[in-house]
Amino acid sequence: MMTKHVRNLLSLLQENRGLGSKMTDSKYFTTTKKGEIFELKAELNSDKKEKKKEAVKKVIASMTVGKDVSALFPDVVNCMQTDNLELKKLVYLYLMNYAKSQPDMAIMAVNTFVKDCEDPNPLIRALAVRTMGCIRVDKITEYLCEPLRKCLKDEDPYVRKTAAVCVAKLHDINAQLVEDQGFLDTLKDLISDSNPMVVANAVAALSEIAESHPNSNLLDLNPQTINKLLTALNECTEWGQIFILDCLANYTPRDDRESQSICERVTPRLSHANSAVVLSAVKVLMKFMEMLPKDLDYYGTLLKKLAPPLVTLLSAEPELQYVALRNINLIVQKRPEILKHEMKVFFVKYNDPIYVKLEKLDIMIRLASQANIAQVLAELKEYATEVDVDFVRKAVRAIGRCAIKVEQSAERCVSTLLDLIQTKVNYVVQEAIVVIKDIFRKYPNKYESVIATLCENLDSLDEPEARAAMIWIVGEYAERIDNADELLESFLEGFHDESTQVQLQLLTAIVKLFLKKPTETQELVQQVLSLATQDSDNPDLRDRGYIYWRLLSTDPVAAKEVVLAEKPLISEETDLIEPTLLEELICHIGTLASVYHKPPSAFVEGSRGVQHKRLPARAGSGESAESPDVGQSGPAEAPPAVIPSQGDLLGDLLNLDLAPPTATIPSVQPSMQMGAMDLLGGGLDSLLGGDIGGSPSMGAGLGAAPAAMPAALGSAPAVGGGLGDLFDLGGGVGMPTGAYVAPKTVWLPAMKAKGLEISGTFARRGGIIQMDLSLTNKAMSVMTDFAIQFNRNSFGLAPAGPLQVLTPLSPNQTIDVSLPLSTSGPVMKMEPLNNLQVAVKNNIDVFYFSCQYPLSLLFVEDGKMERQVFLATWKDIPNDNEAQFQIKDIHLNSDAASNKLQGSNIFTIAKRTVEGQDMLYQSVKLTNAIWVLAEMRIQTGNPNYTLSIKCRAPEVSQFVYQCYELVLKN
Amino acid sequence: MIHSLFLINNAGDLFLEKHWKSVISRSVCDYFFEAREKAVEPDNVPPVIRTPHHYLINIYREKIFFVSVIQTEVPPLFVIEFLHRVAETFQDYFGECSETTIKDNVVIVYELLEEMLDNGFPLATESNILKELIRPPTILRTMVNTITGSSNVGETLPTGQLSTIPWRRAGVKYTNNEAYFDVVEEIDAILDKSGTTVFAEIQGVIDACVKLSGMPDLTLSFMNPRLLDDVSFHPCVRYKRWESERVISFIPPDGNFQLMSYHISAQNLVAIPVYVKQNISFFETGSSGRLDITVGPKQTMGKTVECLVVTVHMPKVVLSANLNATQGTYNYDPVTKILVWDIGKLNSQKLPNLKGSLSLQSGAPKPEENPSLNIDLKIQQLAISGLKVNRLDMYGEKYKPFKGVKYVTKAGKFQVRT
């Protein structure tokens, strides 16, 4: 009966309304007629509710597929005042999409939103506040504040949790507004909310805001908040758990007891069905585990608990596996013991996607040990006969890596490689030759018997890397290969068509050959030297040719010593991640950084000044020095750098120009961008740290540069001081505790600004940065409508409010204004660093000028470092970052100096007296959380102070020095 | 968080986009298309793609790429998990997750996506909450809505959304109260030429279909819980009780859900139900080869092996196969180079055999790679690990429910190398 009834109705509908026979939404896709918009407009304005809704649905469908239906904006907005929830939602959807392009129209919708925020139905209240946040129109945001404030305190937790997210949205649109309105504090309060979902969302919102605000200390974690988070962790949704776990990972427990108790409460998350929850839990555990004493029973238990969940991740969908594998790669490097018995789960299945196969292979090699090498080799040999070329190549390479890693297996690996060479599959042979070269470099004089087999395949080599490897082998073992000269000569024929890599290799190999068998090969060596020096455009090749030529012609004995020098063995594992980077990445398990194996500062756009995360120190291992005696500790130990497979650069010229291992290539590309970011977090030095540390000559060059600079720059503050004497406007000069404020200088002369003269200075008063301005009207007419704006600058300085010039400025009148500044503006590195470009507008025109602020403006009040931390940090910063300066003609004793500096937030942490010399150890913290460490030496009776400054961002050192000089001299 | 989502079909057409923050131009997908082209096979597209300003994280399900755009540091697993959840929700709502169904239900899809994320933060991903907010389409409802003007959007706040058990709605009522559990185990294994196990493990899940009125509190216990040392639970399971008593105690979601999954990797526990004797060889001359495969039972615990299928990925040069099967049928697809031998039930008296010759492209060299065999099978009424449910108890409600447990073992990624 029912169906029949419905069928009747249906046919009726089709006749009357002309609906398609398909009762689905796909009909919305079919309208492509010309007058479509016009037709929809008519339908939207229809009196019939049903027709209206249908029309809105059609509009949404068009929007979804990317058609432009923005012309219907007013008509759709008119449908908003309805009781029908679905219609309301649809209109909201539309609004979110198009409000940006129609900001004035969007304001029409504001009233309905405000009304909906008072609706008795919490679903509607939440929906309204949610949608308002998605309308990314500046004008609307101010109307949003009041309803949002109410919703944040709503009695219904569903509304509160929605409002929490809305704060993050609003922050994205207008950060300043959110701060001014105190929403951040409200958000912080929500961490203590009784409802776990509200807590989770508050954490999520704060984390997102904190990402663009590295020093705001938004997520101020203390044992109480941690406890609240852990409680909420058990009750909130899976997504909330991820937010909370990621937030927990940023906390550093006070001691191993606290660390253990957090671990205990996090462990159950390892059994969660959501793999993201599992991985975030792994991150927390890996980090906090670092603090547990290794002999603790619990430590062992925890290690055991970590293996099964990681293995389980590998049975999930391939995309999840991929991310899991990238992270396991890190975990295996940090703590190989966790998965040492799980080798088999990394065995490759032939229907795994290629990206999973390659990752598995990598981990297999990391886990390879004497105990399981037989199994691994059998697998690798299997893989080497697969179809996928990339995978096969990597498998062959992996065999070579096994040989280098597990000495006992080397022989078996070599014979496996020989078997593979017998297959004559071209790319397998080439790959095998490349790895055999590495095996020779690890175990010299052991497997040379295979050379004959290798030589048989000479003709099939067409890849530069394989050709170069083969040539190297021939040159290195020239004395054992009877026809070495013939072989090398055959390569020489097409010398100019070879890649640089092969050319260089050939040059070196022939010189080696000559030194070993001088009688027969004189002609050959002359030929190659002339090819390299006379016929080549490549400067590297030419230079190397000339070096050899001169060496050979002046002192053949020396040539022998250089070219045939004993080479160091290549290191065991060639592609380990550098330890400090590894530590940082362990702190970022589960993030994009962990997928790319690069520090977050290297690539995530929009996260300005990412803070470097470090693993916490194990209990009891902290330095126990009583006074910081860094002055005498000599060069701080460089982090243990991994010896790259190139080996000693001087000893083996051959590899100097070989393509570097792929891992280092990407660092070149982001370095431009990083130049700016480095300031904010010291990203660059960690990235390049290994390289710089390894080549002392380069480090010295860098160190010398900043030291030379202050002499030139030192004159600038002196001028400022001179002006100060003349005008003596700065009240702070005589006060021992107040910060020094430079007198105002003219920034914008009246001639350049149609009669407006601006002079000003900067001051830091009670933690607030202010720009003190004097505006003088030297024109004939009244000036009004003042406004100010800054260009992006190094430290994100931005006006915290509008320029308050309330009354019009009449001719010849001067007005003094203080403009509070914040440091949350957009960041761009400026030259010089402390340069600030300002635009001032009035009713006449817009004027631009630039000025420089003293860096002391950015010294925050809590810049006093713990002694221990100071000591550790000082050692940790590479010596290349140290800069030395002289401050001349200061007649203060050390206490007075230290008092004076304290007024400008330069804090003395410790003082020592050695042989009549006072050493002051001082710390400064910038608003973007860069720490600057300084050591000041004062010799009694000597008016010249010596200042050593160390900072992760060495660019700031000279500006800090300028501040010292300014403060001490005034 | 998650900024935007693009749905792209196998042909490379972008057919749906959704933005949760500002609109990102669809041209960002060009980077995806580039990667897609490079990967050749859709399965091989890397899940995380870096572009100058964004990251694209994608999954490939049911011939659709779900491509999400992110701009800030977001855990990639979080995004991938979420995308899978989206695909599952579509499946749940429309019966299948395909381009056609998505296009047919585009407004619901849009409403769903809007409910699932807010500003990129997950909002409601539990199926029962979503279903209260947005009703799934049924032919009847679509028609009734069209006639009466009522909508498929719920008017009230879903009850589950705020409770600490968001997975269950209040006021559930059934005339027949029943709870069924399926213990499904899949064997993942690699056997080498000689039949030795290179690697084997069991992936198990317990799927539940619970239709019980009110707020039942269930406890499921096993005969041999010691087997399980690596488990993942549905959020409803009380982990503490599992830790202390090894029982699964939970208030179930309403309807179908996965109660838990587990993983048994200890080699000695993984029984291999069949063995395969095979010989595939290619002759140096004459452009031909031979194939001979026999399958027999190994450790079947006295049960019958059913739905036995052997799949062989032949080398590219194999043009056709002329074979003879003693049982079942075979089919060789010369385009995909896949040989499928559908055996059916395994008869232990008379072992099934497939034998014959392969003809290769003339003049082509003898193929280097060895084809792998893939085995599919099913064993009813057996969990190959030996896991057995002991009992199911219900607290909190007075009625007597119907209870049932079913076991089944399947082959997962079960391959034999040649």
Side-chain angles (χ1 to χ4, degrees):
Chain A
M1 274 298 284
M2 174 69 183
T3 36
K4 195 177 168 200
H5 179 66
V6 170
R7 202 176 303 134
N8 283 343
L9 271 172
L10 182 65
S11 57
L12 208 126
L13 270 171
Q14 282 170 349
E15 283 160 30
N16 289 358
R17 300 200 186 163
L19 283 177
S21 58
K22 271 164 83 191
M23 292 304 296
T24 63
D25 296 343
S26 58
K27 63 179 179 284
Y28 304 126
F29 286 99
T30 53
T31 43
T32 46
K33 288 172 290 192
K34 260 194 166 181
E36 185 186 8
I37 297 275
F38 185 74
E39 221 168 79
L40 283 171
K41 205 180 182 90
E43 282 176 42
L44 283 170
N45 290 315
S46 154
D47 296 335
K48 287 188 189 135
K49 262 190 185 176
E50 188 46 38
K51 202 155 198 175
K52 259 190 186 179
K53 202 168 87 183
E54 279 296 303
V56 174
K57 277 193 180 182
K58 282 186 204 168
V59 172
I60 300 283
S62 309
M63 181 180 91
T64 323
V65 293
K67 285 185 201 160
D68 183 19
V69 283
S70 59
L72 295 167
F73 201 92
D75 308 281
V76 177
V77 169
N78 273 338
C79 300
M80 192 172 163
Q81 296 218 6
T82 169
D83 301 331
N84 184 313
L85 190 60
E86 188 186 18
L87 186 55
K88 200 181 262 296
K89 276 190 172 181
L90 290 172
V91 176
Y92 278 0
L93 269 178
Y94 179 89
L95 264 175
M96 282 185 241
N97 215 355
Y98 283 119
K100 185 111 198 165
S101 54
Q102 310 260 348
D104 295 323
M105 292 285 197
I107 291 193
M108 290 167 33
V110 163
N111 260 336
T112 322
F113 279 127
V114 176
K115 221 174 83 195
D116 284 353
C117 282
E118 313 263 334
D119 197 279
N121 182 347
L123 191 58
I124 300 222
R125 292 203 297 276
L127 186 64
V129 77
R130 198 172 116 198
T131 314
M132 278 183 91
C134 295
I135 297 182
R136 306 177 57 84
V137 176
D138 252 342
K139 285 184 195 160
I140 286 198
T141 48
E142 49 192 286
Y143 297 100
L144 178 59
C145 292
E146 272 323 298
L148 178 58
R149 198 186 314 281
K150 267 186 209 156
C151 288
L152 280 167
K153 304 223 156 90
D154 199 284
E155 53 172 22
D156 194 306
Y158 181 66
V159 180
R160 288 203 300 277
K161 88 170 199 177
T162 315
V165 174
C166 188
V167 175
K169 294 180 193 170
L170 192 58
H171 186 271
D172 193 30
I173 305 166
N174 189 343
Q176 199 57 49
L177 186 72
V178 170
E179 264 170 60
D180 295 347
Q181 295 278 340
F183 284 140
L184 292 182
D185 293 323
T186 323
L187 209 50
K188 281 190 215 165
D189 293 342
L190 285 184
I191 292 187
S192 319
D193 198 279
S194 57
N195 185 297
M197 256 81 92
V198 178
V199 177
N201 271 16
V203 169
L206 280 172
S207 306
E208 192 178 77
I209 293 172
E211 206 174 319
S212 56
H213 253 269
N215 349 303
S216 46
N217 239 353
L218 278 176
L219 281 162
D220 190 17
L221 298 174
N222 55 47
Q224 286 76 38
T225 45
I226 290 294
N227 209 18
K228 278 171 198 151
L229 291 180
L230 285 168
T231 312
L233 182 63
N234 287 325
E235 292 172 9
C236 66
T237 66
E238 48 196 314
W239 313 108
Q241 294 184 13
I242 300 170
F243 297 137
I244 292 181
L245 286 168
D246 284 346
C247 176
L248 276 178
N250 290 329
Y251 177 64
T252 310
R254 287 159 307 174
D255 51 31
D256 50 327
R257 290 254 290 290
E258 191 186 6
S259 183
Q260 179 175 348
S261 96
I262 295 175
C263 286
E264 278 165 359
R265 293 177 72 178
V266 167
T267 331
R269 297 300 125 209
L270 292 176
S271 299
H272 201 286
N274 185 320
S275 58
V277 175
V278 175
L279 202 57
S280 289
V282 169
K283 163 163 60 187
V284 174
L285 295 174
M286 281 293 287
K287 188 176 171 190
F288 290 5
M289 213 169 155
E290 202 67 20
M291 286 184 77
L292 301 176
K294 280 199 166 168
D295 46 0
L296 195 70
D297 283 347
Y298 182 70
Y299 180 81
T301 319
L302 200 54
L303 274 184
K304 276 200 202 101
K305 280 193 172 169
L306 278 169
L310 290 173
V311 171
T312 304
L313 290 179
L314 296 182
S315 53
E317 285 85 356
E319 299 93 357
L320 296 170
Q321 281 188 43
Y322 170 73
V323 177
L325 284 166
R326 290 296 284 174
N327 282 286
I328 289 174
N329 200 327
L330 296 173
I331 294 170
V332 164
Q333 288 184 56
K334 180 75 191 160
R335 296 189 182 280
E337 63 270 34
I338 294 178
L339 287 168
K340 67 177 173 205
H341 299 302
E342 304 290 347
M343 170 63 90
K344 286 191 173 178
V345 298
F346 298 103
F347 284 1
V348 172
K349 300 182 182 101
Y350 81 92
N351 45 1
D352 281 335
I354 180 72
Y355 54 82
V356 167
K357 283 183 177 172
L358 296 176
E359 290 307 319
K360 281 188 173 174
L361 204 53
D362 221 34
I363 295 171
M364 278 173 68
I365 299 166
R366 296 210 193 280
L367 289 176
S369 66
Q370 205 182 335
N372 56 23
I373 193 76
Q375 243 180 350
V376 174
L377 270 181
E379 280 294 304
L380 292 176
K381 201 175 169 187
E382 193 74 40
Y383 303 159
T385 60
E386 282 225 17
V387 197
D388 195 305
V389 178
D390 283 344
F391 180 58
V392 171
R393 281 172 180 273
K394 196 156 182 183
V396 175
R397 235 164 236 247
I399 298 175
R401 276 169 69 187
C402 283
I404 292 166
K405 190 174 175 197
V406 185
E407 187 162 358
Q408 293 81 355
S409 76
E411 199 159 337
R412 207 167 348 177
C413 293
V414 171
S415 77
T416 309
L417 288 169
L418 284 180
D419 286 352
L420 291 172
I421 288 177
Q422 297 306 340
T423 64
K424 304 276 179 199
V425 177
N426 188 279
Y427 52 85
V428 174
V429 173
Q430 309 212 38
E431 213 53 60
I433 286 181
V434 173
V435 294
I436 286 181
K437 179 205 74 184
D438 284 339
I439 296 177
F440 283 168
R441 297 189 59 198
K442 170 78 180 177
Y443 311 108
N445 305 318
K446 218 166 163 191
Y447 300 109
E448 282 69 22
S449 53
V450 308
I451 292 177
T453 323
L454 301 186
C455 290
E456 285 165 22
N457 292 286
L458 214 60
D459 298 335
S460 64
L461 307 180
D462 54 7
E463 290 165 22
E465 202 181 355
R467 286 173 82 86
M470 192 64 221
I471 293 170
W472 182 85
I473 293 171
V474 174
E476 189 65 20
Y477 298 101
E479 67 273 28
R480 308 187 196 190
I481 306 171
D482 295 336
N483 60 345
D485 47 344
E486 281 170 39
L487 294 176
L488 291 177
E489 201 171 358
S490 70
F491 280 107
L492 208 53
E493 279 160 23
F495 188 77
H496 288 299
D497 301 328
E498 299 283 3
S499 71
T500 313
Q501 187 183 2
V502 180
Q503 289 176 335
L504 287 166
Q505 210 55 258
L506 198 51
L507 173 61
T508 306
I510 291 179
V511 172
K512 280 183 191 165
L513 175 70
F514 172 70
L515 289 167
K516 288 174 179 173
K517 301 179 181 175
T519 45
E520 310 126 59
T521 55
Q522 208 151 9
E523 205 174 312
L524 194 61
V525 81
Q526 267 169 2
Q527 202 183 341
V528 77
L529 286 176
S530 92
L531 277 172
T533 53
Q534 283 158 28
D535 302 339
S536 170
D537 295 334
N538 184 328
D540 286 346
L541 187 64
R542 264 198 329 251
D543 284 357
R544 196 188 282 193
Y546 279 123
I547 290 174
Y548 285 146
W549 202 324
R550 274 176 211 154
L551 259 177
L552 292 174
S553 57
T554 49
D555 189 351
V557 182
K560 211 161 187 166
E561 271 171 25
V562 171
V563 180
L564 301 179
E566 187 97 348
K567 280 169 276 298
L569 301 182
I570 57 173
S571 60
E572 266 195 18
E573 286 207 61
T574 51
D575 59 342
L576 283 177
I577 294 175
E578 196 253 333
T580 45
L581 176 60
L582 181 62
E583 289 213 344
E584 199 184 349
L585 289 176
I586 289 285
C587 297
H588 285 99
I589 282 177
T591 65
L592 281 170
S594 72
V595 172
Y596 282 96
H597 291 185
K598 281 183 211 159
S601 49
F603 61 90
V604 177
E605 204 172 284
S607 63
R608 323 167 223 161
V610 183
Q611 276 161 340
H612 282 251
K613 290 185 187 168
R614 281 282 157 79
L615 289 175
R618 198 174 296 282
S621 69
E623 284 92 336
S624 53
E626 304 211 316
S627 72
D629 58 356
V630 281
Q632 275 139 6
S633 68
E637 269 179 59
V642 179
I643 304 168
S645 62
Q646 281 100 321
D648 188 324
L649 295 175
L650 287 172
D652 190 5
L653 277 165
L654 116 90
N655 276 306
L656 192 61
D657 295 290
L658 281 185
T662 41
T664 63
I665 295 172
S667 67
V668 177
Q669 174 233 342
S671 68
M672 287 299 291
Q673 191 187 346
M674 288 212 8
M677 299 201 359
D678 179 34
L679 260 180
L680 308 150
L684 195 63
D685 55 40
S686 84
L687 203 86
L688 296 176
D691 298 357
I692 291 179
S695 62
S697 63
M698 203 169 146
L702 284 176
M709 251 182 264
L713 283 161
S715 57
V719 174
L723 284 170
D725 287 342
L726 277 175
F727 299 102
D728 203 15
L729 291 167
V733 175
M735 288 152 59
T737 49
Y740 166 71
V741 177
K744 282 179 182 167
T745 47
V746 176
W747 285 337
L748 182 69
M751 302 166 52
K752 285 194 179 170
K754 302 187 178 163
L756 174 68
E757 184 181 276
I758 299 179
S759 57
T761 184
F762 294 92
R764 188 179 178 93
R765 300 188 181 98
I768 295 163
I769 304 171
Q770 282 178 324
M771 187 180 194
D772 295 342
L773 295 166
S774 296
L775 309 174
T776 310
N777 183 352
K778 297 199 168 172
M780 308 299 283
S781 58
V782 177
M783 293 178 182
T784 56
D785 302 336
F786 285 95
I788 192 163
Q789 211 164 25
F790 294 174
N791 193 1
R792 294 198 281 175
N793 53 73
S794 313
F795 295 92
L797 281 175
L803 188 62
Q804 302 280 350
V805 183
L806 300 171
T807 48
L809 194 61
S810 12
N812 277 328
Q813 193 192 354
T814 299
I815 189 165
D816 289 335
V817 244
S818 258
L819 178 71
L821 305 183
S822 75
T823 50
S824 55
V827 174
M828 183 174 81
K829 191 180 177 183
M830 297 297 291
E831 195 55 47
L833 205 58
N834 58 345
N835 196 19
L836 181 67
Q837 295 176 336
V838 185
V840 171
K841 181 192 95 99
N842 62 11
N843 57 335
I844 300 168
D845 205 347
V846 184
F847 311 106
Y848 303 93
F849 63 89
S850 64
C851 52
Q852 294 179 6
Y853 47 91
L855 214 63
S856 54
L857 210 56
L858 306 164
F859 297 175
V860 296
E861 280 66 23
D862 64 341
K864 189 159 184 174
M865 208 180 228
E866 291 286 316
R867 279 177 164 217
Q868 302 252 321
V869 183
F870 182 90
L871 188 63
T873 317
W874 184 277
K875 282 188 180 164
D876 202 41
I877 299 176
N879 274 10
D880 300 333
N881 284 11
E882 182 169 345
Q884 283 226 348
F885 304 95
Q886 289 283 332
I887 309 174
K888 291 189 175 141
D889 286 332
I890 307 289
H891 300 282
L892 294 167
N893 66 22
S894 58
D895 287 337
S898 142
N899 265 343
K900 222 170 173 180
L901 290 168
Q902 178 130 9
S904 293
N905 294 338
I906 300 173
F907 299 94
T908 305
I909 295 166
K911 177 183 159 185
R912 288 196 321 148
T913 309
V914 180
E915 294 164 4
Q917 205 175 200
D918 284 339
M919 320 260 261
L920 298 179
Y921 298 97
Q922 297 167 326
S923 73
V924 167
K925 186 184 173 190
L926 302 187
T927 46
N928 55 1
I930 290 184
W931 285 93
V932 181
L933 277 50
E935 180 205 67
M936 191 158 75
R937 262 173 293 184
I938 304 174
Q939 206 141 24
T940 341
N942 184 350
N944 298 344
Y945 295 179
T946 312
L947 182 68
S948 306
I949 297 179
K950 251 189 164 186
C951 178
R952 284 191 197 285
E955 297 92 322
V956 303
S957 300
Q958 54 161 312
F959 298 97
V960 173
Y961 155 70
Q962 286 176 13
C963 297
Y964 265 87
E965 189 155 69
L966 261 175
V967 173
L968 288 172
K969 289 198 170 164
N970 291 288
Chain B
M1 290 289 125
I2 301 168
H3 216 292
S4 304
L5 174 71
F6 296 99
L7 299 190
I8 297 170
N9 68 14
N10 223 348
D13 301 323
L14 198 164
F15 64 93
L16 190 114
E17 60 183 291
K18 166 79 186 136
H19 306 275
W20 284 278
K21 292 184 168 187
S22 51
V23 176
I24 290 175
S25 156
R26 53 165 73 191
S27 62
V28 75
C29 293
D30 291 349
Y31 295 97
F32 170 79
F33 292 129
E34 207 175 287
R36 164 76 183 83
E37 203 147 302
K38 228 160 111 192
V40 188
E41 291 295 317
D43 291 318
N44 285 341
V45 180
V48 186
I49 299 167
R50 183 177 171 177
T51 82
H53 301 286
H54 305 94
Y55 285 82
L56 305 178
I57 297 184
N58 69 85
I59 63 164
Y60 181 61
R61 289 254 315 230
E62 320 292 338
K63 303 214 166 75
I64 301 172
F65 289 100
F66 291 72
V67 183
S68 65
V69 184
I70 61 169
Q71 214 165 10
T72 48
E73 176 68 85
V74 182
L77 273 189
F78 171 103
V79 182
I80 295 173
E81 277 278 359
F82 177 79
L83 293 177
H84 280 296
R85 210 58 64 86
V86 171
E88 277 154 29
T89 308
F90 290 166
Q91 176 102 32
D92 190 25
Y93 262 71
F94 315 127
E96 59 163 357
C97 172
S98 70
E99 188 184 348
T100 331
T101 49
I102 291 174
K103 276 187 172 170
D104 281 351
N105 298 287
V106 71
V107 173
I108 294 192
V109 164
Y110 225 61
E111 285 171 343
L112 277 174
L113 291 175
E114 190 57 35
E115 281 308 325
M116 291 180 82
L117 277 190
D118 177 21
N119 196 36
F121 298 108
L123 193 61
T125 51
E126 286 284 342
S127 140
N128 74 73
I129 292 178
L130 283 172
K131 282 185 177 159
E132 276 186 64
L133 284 168
I134 300 154
R135 297 195 190 102
T138 59
I139 296 189
L140 187 67
R141 186 171 303 126
T142 317
M143 284 183 291
V144 171
N145 285 355
T146 329
I147 300 154
T148 60
S150 67
S151 70
N152 60 345
V153 171
E155 294 281 340
T156 52
L157 190 60
T159 45
Q161 195 142 18
L162 294 171
S163 71
T164 47
I165 41 170
W167 55 85
R168 189 172 182 89
R169 60 195 170 95
V172 182
K173 232 178 151 43
Y174 288 102
T175 42
N176 293 325
N177 288 296
E178 46 193 22
Y180 297 114
F181 295 88
D182 290 354
V183 179
V184 184
E185 294 194 341
E186 289 192 357
I187 309 168
D188 284 355
I190 303 175
L191 307 184
D192 71 6
K193 260 187 244 179
S194 59
T196 329
T197 311
V198 176
F199 155 83
E201 62 180 15
I202 296 171
Q203 310 286 353
V205 296
I206 299 185
D207 284 325
C209 174
V210 178
K211 293 179 173 170
L212 298 174
S213 313
M215 273 290 164
D217 196 331
L218 303 179
T219 306
L220 185 75
S221 61
F222 298 102
M223 307 272 263
N224 38 10
R226 296 252 157 266
L227 278 174
L228 306 172
D229 64 340
D230 180 6
V231 286
S232 306
F233 293 120
H234 187 277
C236 67
V237 176
R238 299 180 180 102
Y239 188 74
K240 284 239 165 68
R241 287 205 57 196
W242 169 256
E243 282 271 270
S244 56
E245 301 164 49
R246 297 272 144 179
V247 296
I248 300 182
S249 154
F250 59 104
I251 294 176
D254 187 35
N256 294 312
F257 65 100
Q258 191 179 86
L259 177 63
M260 65 179 286
S261 66
Y262 57 92
H263 178 93
I264 296 172
S265 53
Q267 294 274 305
N268 46 354
L269 288 174
V270 184
I272 303 293
V274 293
Y275 71 85
V276 179
K277 265 206 281 193
Q278 41 72 28
N279 181 20
I280 301 174
S281 54
F282 301 104
F283 305 127
E284 287 293 346
T285 52
S287 306
S288 64
R290 276 183 46 77
L291 178 144
D292 186 348
I293 305 174
T294 310
V295 187
K298 207 171 172 187
Q299 295 162 281
T300 57
M301 323 279 173
K303 307 272 186 204
T304 322
V305 178
E306 297 171 56
C307 305
L308 191 60
V309 179
V310 178
T311 314
V312 189
H313 287 255
M314 288 292 180
K316 283 211 170 58
V317 290
V318 177
L319 287 181
S320 65
N322 184 13
L323 308 169
N324 184 22
T326 59
Q327 188 189 336
T329 53
Y330 81 92
N331 175 37
Y332 179 66
D333 182 343
V335 180
T336 56
K337 307 290 178 195
I338 293 174
L339 172 71
V340 182
W341 178 26
D342 190 339
I343 302 170
K345 221 175 246 179
L346 180 63
N347 181 354
S348 52
Q349 309 303 314
K350 191 168 158 281
L351 299 181
N353 169 271
L354 182 71
K355 202 153 94 178
S357 63
L358 306 168
S359 50
L360 312 187
Q361 205 175 312
S362 62
K366 184 185 151 207
E368 284 302 332
E369 76 261 22
N370 302 321
S372 287
L373 272 58
N374 236 26
I375 310 286
D376 244 324
L377 56 83
K378 202 163 155 185
I379 306 172
Q380 301 281 7
Q381 295 312 319
L382 172 75
I384 197 96
S385 66
L387 186 73
K388 274 222 159 71
V389 172
N390 185 24
R391 52 184 296 145
L392 176 75
D393 298 303
M394 188 182 74
Y395 307 94
E397 295 290 336
K398 298 238 177 324
Y399 55 84
K400 267 236 170 297
F402 294 103
K403 300 180 277 194
V405 181
K406 230 169 56 184
Y407 300 91
V408 64
T409 296
K410 294 179 189 165
K413 285 186 172 177
F414 191 114
Q415 68 182 75
V416 183
R417 289 176 180 160
T418 60

